Amino acid sequence: MTLDQLQAALPEYFAPWVQALGLRAEAFDADSVTLRLPHSDQLSRTGDMLCGQAMMAAADTAMVLALINQFGQFRPCTTVQMNTSFLRPLSGQDALVQAKVVRAGKALAFGEIDIRGAQDGKSVCRASTTYALL
């Protein structure tokens, strides 16, 4: 897998509104993928804070890319569960969204996502996910 292949998966497998988030593949290793979610007025609410809906969409997207990385190709899947905790606001900076595959079985996959400020490195959101592998 390469960063270019992960980036190419965004327009191939995700809806136009997800593509409009402007996510960019930043890094990957054997069991995780990190995306950059650029700071945008379109995704901010009062106080220039990144909205939770954008964080959840980015987290879900990053995990699908982590599964693509894990399997070496796209495998149809659907989100069964996402538990999200917002730890602090993120203002005036890009977000780094790191999705890690905890376990991928035959029918289910489990993951954890950490979203942190790209400049200060402080964690702003944590999520755990379960996916059905179709």
Side-chain angles (χ1 to χ4, degrees):
M1 195 59 52
T2 68
L3 286 177
D4 288 339
Q5 288 173 310
L6 291 169
Q7 189 67 41
L10 289 167
E12 187 168 347
Y13 300 113
F14 296 94
W17 70 268
V18 174
Q19 295 173 49
L21 294 172
L23 294 165
R24 293 189 312 267
E26 287 276 312
F28 69 98
D29 59 27
D31 54 15
S32 74
V33 167
T34 301
L35 302 181
R36 179 176 291 266
L37 175 61
H39 175 265
S40 163
D41 290 341
Q42 298 256 344
L43 301 177
S44 298
R45 58 187 188 92
T46 305
D48 197 32
M49 292 183 287
L50 178 62
C51 70
Q53 296 93 330
M55 285 189 259
M56 291 181 73
D60 192 50
T61 303
M63 184 52 64
V64 172
L65 290 181
L67 289 170
I68 290 171
N69 182 49
Q70 177 84 20
F71 294 123
Q73 64 183 1
F74 176 75
R75 186 165 170 196
C77 60
T78 188
T79 309
V80 173
Q81 177 271 338
M82 178 183 269
N83 183 19
T84 307
S85 297
F86 299 100
L87 310 174
R88 62 184 304 134
L90 180 67
S91 299
Q93 61 181 306
D94 292 356
L96 294 178
V97 184
Q98 183 177 27
K100 180 179 181 180
V101 177
V102 175
R103 182 180 182 283
K106 292 181 181 181
L108 293 174
F110 303 89
E112 295 178 348
I113 300 106
D114 179 48
I115 302 177
R116 62 190 182 280
Q119 292 173 349
D120 64 18
K122 292 181 180 177
S123 189
V124 299
C125 179
R126 301 279 303 183
S128 62
T129 59
T130 304
Y131 290 82
L133 303 173
L134 308 174

